[in-house]
Amino acid sequence: MRLFDTHCHFDFDIFQDDFDSQLKSAHEQGVSRFVIPSIGSSNWAKMHQMATDHTDIYYALGMHPYFLDQQSIDELPTLKELLNQRGNQCVAVGECGLDSMVEVDMTLQEKVFIEQVRFATSCQLPLILHCRKTHNRMLQILKQEKFQYGGILHGFSGSYQQAMQFIELGFFIGVGGVITYPRANKTRQAIVRLPIEKLVLETDSPDMPLNGYQGKPNHPKMIGEILSSLASLKGMSKQTIAEIVWKNSNSAFGICE
């Protein structure tokens, strides 16, 4: 069974001691492809190097709303240039989006997000979206920009109606550790109703620990646990779901299977 972690921050320092061992532990659990989204200019070069060193690692270039400051505006031309010069393993723009839960000026967030949407359009690349309490505004921007290249709504924890609005715009829904928590009833029920053909798996490592692992760093090797929860919710076999979400994940990023 082949598994694809569509969103993990495998470049973070916590994984860098003996990274080959970290990678092997994921491989041993069936995880054979990874997408690492960048958070800003601080890790763009590292993304490229990791993908150069490991053929199973793909990456995205972008600016996470949490890490924005006024200097971010000045870095947008560099981001555009890197995207224009990208190799085959740069498969998306992101992680980018809007977050009303952080102390970053929303005007700045929107300006940087809109520019990244436009970069994705000019490069014909999908987006990896970060969205917290901003679904309506994000949808409005995507429609205003007439964005047509889809991508993934990362870290989904909303309602069925919210998810379907993004699916209608061509996005897949990123399913992570939140579905392992019985108390996350709204999200779990939404996932039950959403079409399996529009779901992908992600860990958001080292964040978003699974139920029973609170306080411990998350890891791409845990993707199988998320698969098990999804299979239970959907009433389908793990093998069947694994095959479908593998195809979905590659399709989302335009990667040949």
Side-chain angles (χ1 to χ4, degrees):
M1 162 181 328
R2 296 174 297 176
L3 300 175
F4 194 144
D5 190 345
T6 62
H7 195 115
C8 59
H9 296 282
F10 226 177
D11 62 303
F12 280 15
D13 288 346
I14 194 170
F15 299 119
Q16 293 315 296
D17 285 342
D18 194 9
F19 179 72
D20 287 344
S21 176
Q22 300 282 354
L23 192 59
K24 182 182 178 184
S25 68
H27 287 160
E28 289 172 345
Q29 297 302 316
V31 191
S32 53
R33 284 183 179 168
F34 314 79
V35 167
I36 306 179
S38 57
I39 58 171
S41 60
S42 64
N43 68 343
W44 292 339
K46 191 171 186 179
M47 302 284 91
H48 175 74
Q49 189 59 53
M50 291 181 75
T52 300
D53 294 341
H54 304 278
T55 57
D56 52 354
I57 290 179
Y58 299 83
Y59 68 103
L61 291 173
M63 295 185 182
H64 191 301
Y66 185 86
F67 299 97
L68 298 179
D69 55 32
Q70 289 304 319
Q71 184 182 344
S72 302
I73 299 294
D74 299 330
E75 295 170 336
L76 283 167
T78 302
L79 175 58
K80 184 177 183 180
E81 183 178 354
L82 289 172
L83 287 166
N84 286 335
Q85 297 173 353
R86 73 193 182 278
N88 291 337
Q89 282 170 271
C90 178
V91 293
V93 175
E95 168 177 5
C96 62
L98 304 175
D99 191 327
S100 68
M101 308 292 286
V102 297
E103 294 181 7
V104 178
D105 179 68
M106 189 55 68
T107 301
L108 174 63
Q109 287 194 46
E110 289 194 9
K111 181 177 179 63
V112 174
F113 176 57
I114 289 169
E115 286 301 307
Q116 291 181 90
V117 173
R118 291 173 179 173
F119 293 167
T121 295
S122 66
C123 294
Q124 299 183 16
L125 284 172
L127 290 164
I128 296 176
L129 297 177
H130 174 100
C131 182
R132 284 208 300 176
K133 309 290 186 183
T134 54
H135 287 85
N136 291 339
R137 180 58 180 145
M138 183 172 282
L139 286 163
Q140 187 179 38
I141 289 172
L142 291 169
K143 291 174 182 177
Q144 285 175 351
E145 294 296 321
K146 298 181 172 59
F147 184 69
Q148 299 178 13
Y149 296 97
I152 295 174
L153 176 62
H154 149 65
F156 173 70
S157 61
S159 68
Y160 169 79
Q161 290 78 11
Q162 287 173 329
M164 286 305 301
Q165 287 180 297
F166 283 93
I167 287 173
E168 287 164 9
L169 289 182
F171 286 85
F172 291 84
I173 304 301
V175 179
V178 66
I179 68 164
T180 66
Y181 289 85
R183 69 173 184 269
N185 189 57
K186 181 179 72 171
T187 300
R188 285 161 61 94
Q189 290 308 308
I191 294 299
V192 168
R193 296 176 63 191
L194 292 173
I196 188 66
E197 293 79 14
K198 291 298 180 181
L199 303 182
V200 298
L201 300 178
E202 58 174 50
T203 61
D204 199 22
S205 306
D207 297 325
M208 287 178 62
L210 281 62
N211 185 37
Y213 297 89
Q214 296 94 322
K216 298 179 181 178
N218 201 0
H219 194 286
K221 67 183 180 183
M222 301 300 294
I223 205 85
E225 300 277 343
I226 300 170
L227 172 67
S228 295
S229 290
L230 181 58
S232 177
L233 286 171
K234 285 288 192 181
M236 300 169 65
S237 74
K238 289 196 292 184
Q239 183 65 45
T240 298
I241 288 189
E243 290 173 2
I244 294 170
V245 297
W246 172 263
K247 184 172 291 188
N248 296 348
S249 303
N250 288 292
S251 175
F253 294 116
I255 300 172
C256 294
E257 287 193 53

